[in-house]
Amino acid sequence: MSAIRVRFAPSPTGFLHVGGARTAIFNWLYARRTGGTFVLRIEDTDEARSSDEMTRAILDGMRWLGMSPDEGPFFQSSERARHLDDVDALLDGGHAYRCFCSPETLRADRAAAEAAGGGYRYPRTCLELDADESERRAGGGEPFAVRVRVPERPIVWDDAVHGPTSFDGATLEDFVIVRSDGTPTYMISVVSDDIAMGITDVIRGDDHLSNTPKQIVLYEALGKPVPRFAHLPLILGPDKKRLSKRHGAVSVLAYRDDGYLPDAMFNFLALLGWNPGDGGEKLSRRELTVAFGFDGVGKSGAVFDLAKLEWLNGQYVDDLATPDLVEAVRPYLAEAGLWTEDLDGPRAGWLRSLLGLLQPRCRTLPAFVDQARPFLD
Ligand code: GLU
């Protein structure tokens, strides 16, 4: 095993969608290629939106795609005490401060700034409070949030996909890491967990790019090494807008239910935003693993092309040995009321021949039902 440790960190607020699955696949491929460790962390701190059912659906989706974690699943909500210990360390080190501004004041200030046509940033009102007063007010039971003091300098990292990337700290707000109800926010929980789990490479969607400078501030303030970051391009629909339900199914398991084969789906998702460079499209898990690297990962959005998935699935259907094909098609025939006992007995050979005959014409498993119906009805 190498020292590389990566994680897939889904929030169980929905099914495993194709974007999440693609992120998981890239982490998995990188871990397999480098001999590293693939960790699964369920980010379930948003109690109102998280559910066990969604956690199970995420695990089912990963299992279907043939990816099991080397470690985990771990649950972020179990680590709240450690997240708050890290907050205490930041307060003690002067990297964070208590903010007693009321939500009403903050809202009114924001509205006034926006009405005046300007952008709003927290004006650091509470940064000036001296330590004794802050201590006294907190001790007296006054509610407070905790904010990080963002340094006013460029925050830079060498993104494995985007190359050298820089955000000006002077334009970032002193962001909140503990809400006034005492709960830690995503920003600190994720960094605290990544440190505790020894994560060396954070591979995730582009939508997290703007979180990265804030997280780097936290690593540095906690005196910990900053991991490498790789931000993957967004997945787009054919109209080049962010992929959503409007474009069709986004849940990975919906593709299973529609009769796509897991190896085809894995292959297809692995090439969403990554070009292995040899021109080939149909690549086994082993070939994908050997070829994987961030050089071929694109910076701009990757289009989800359903026609390509169908084509690729057809290739995998073609590869199925006849006994496997019969097993794969059986539930679809049964559901259509076309399965009869003799297909397991005297007519088993005939069915194998029939499916073999139809194999080159069918690109998904349900297609066999339509094609076989005239022969079976
Ligand atoms: N839980 C976050 C999400 O589902 C991912 C956090 C991360 O990768 O840093 O978007």
Side-chain angles (χ1 to χ4, degrees):
M1 284 236 161
S2 76
I4 300 285
R5 292 175 62 81
V6 296
R7 63 6 175 231
F8 174 46
S11 306
T13 54
F15 294 104
L16 180 64
H17 55 86
V18 291
R22 196 272 312 258
T23 297
I25 287 174
F26 280 34
N27 276 281
W28 187 90
L29 286 173
Y30 190 60
R32 291 293 79 92
R33 155 131 153 57
T34 58
T37 304
F38 174 56
V39 181
L40 174 62
R41 181 173 73 229
I42 303 290
E43 303 212 317
D44 57 343
T45 51
D46 184 343
E47 279 168 32
R49 293 177 60 229
S50 300
S51 74
D52 292 347
E53 188 201 343
M54 292 306 158
T55 299
R56 273 195 300 278
I58 290 169
L59 295 173
D60 283 351
M62 289 180 68
R63 208 171 299 124
W64 180 63
L65 287 169
M67 281 183 292
S68 48
D70 301 314
E71 293 178 17
F74 299 108
F75 291 86
Q76 188 161 62
S77 61
S78 326
E79 302 300 335
R80 189 162 281 178
R82 171 170 38 69
H83 305 160
L84 292 172
D85 285 348
D86 283 339
V87 171
D88 285 341
L90 292 169
L91 283 168
D92 291 346
H95 299 290
Y97 58 94
R98 296 189 189 91
C99 171
F100 295 92
C101 296
S102 72
E104 296 76 41
T105 310
L106 295 172
R107 257 197 304 275
D109 287 355
R110 179 181 296 273
E114 281 167 6
Y120 172 81
R121 250 182 337 136
Y122 175 65
R124 295 189 147 173
T125 320
C126 292
L127 178 61
E128 307 309 329
L129 287 182
D130 73 53
D132 289 344
E133 186 184 350
S134 171
E135 212 51 60
R136 185 180 52 71
R137 288 171 69 175
E142 198 176 326
F144 62 86
V146 177
R147 288 179 185 272
V148 171
R149 177 179 189 165
V150 177
E152 289 166 345
R153 56 170 167 77
I155 300 163
V156 293
W157 76 93
D158 194 5
D159 197 279
V161 176
H162 295 267
T165 305
S166 169
F167 273 75
D168 184 0
T171 64
L172 295 176
E173 176 169 76
D174 283 356
F175 56 97
V176 171
I177 51 172
V178 179
R179 302 180 191 87
S180 53
D181 64 3
T183 56
T185 61
Y186 155 75
M187 214 57 86
I188 185 67
S189 301
V190 101
V191 169
S192 178
D193 286 354
D194 283 343
I195 291 171
M197 294 174 173
I199 299 302
T200 56
D201 295 73
V202 172
I203 305 166
R204 59 184 177 187
D206 253 0
D207 46 333
H208 287 289
L209 261 176
S210 61
N211 291 327
T212 303
K214 297 177 185 173
Q215 292 173 357
I216 290 175
V217 167
L218 292 174
Y219 282 101
E220 289 175 347
L222 288 164
K224 301 293 180 193
V226 178
R228 276 183 296 269
F229 288 96
H231 287 94
L232 311 176
L234 213 61
I235 300 180
L236 310 174
D239 58 358
K240 305 278 161 67
K241 303 243 166 67
R242 190 189 176 128
L243 188 73
S244 74
K245 288 203 184 97
R246 279 183 302 114
H247 298 108
V250 289
S251 152
V252 162
L253 291 180
Y255 288 90
R256 175 195 65 185
D257 298 344
D258 285 349
Y260 288 88
L261 298 170
D263 286 342
M265 194 71 190
F266 187 98
N267 186 165
F268 172 74
L269 291 173
L271 300 184
L272 268 184
W274 170 49
N275 180 353
D278 68 351
E281 297 280 11
K282 179 166 178 281
L283 297 162
S284 68
R285 252 164 236 258
R286 164 124 205 93
E287 289 166 325
L288 291 165
T289 302
V290 170
F292 189 75
F294 291 104
D295 286 352
V297 176
K299 295 184 180 47
S300 57
V303 174
F304 187 96
D305 179 355
L306 191 59
K308 179 172 163 188
L309 172 59
E310 276 184 17
W311 171 82
L312 205 48
N313 201 64
Q315 305 285 306
Y316 280 85
V317 167
D318 271 346
D319 283 355
L320 285 177
T322 316
D324 296 334
L325 179 61
V326 173
E327 283 320 300
V329 174
R330 176 200 287 257
Y332 294 91
L333 292 178
E335 198 184 321
L338 294 173
W339 187 268
T340 46
E341 295 225 328
D342 57 348
L343 295 176
D344 256 337
R347 286 213 296 161
W350 175 83
L351 180 69
R352 279 201 294 275
S353 307
L354 173 64
L355 295 185
L357 198 65
L358 302 177
Q359 199 165 10
R361 299 181 207 183
C362 295
R363 290 188 294 179
T364 63
L365 300 176
F368 282 91
V369 175
D370 296 336
Q371 298 270 342
R373 189 183 297 279
F375 300 94
L376 291 169
D377 238 352

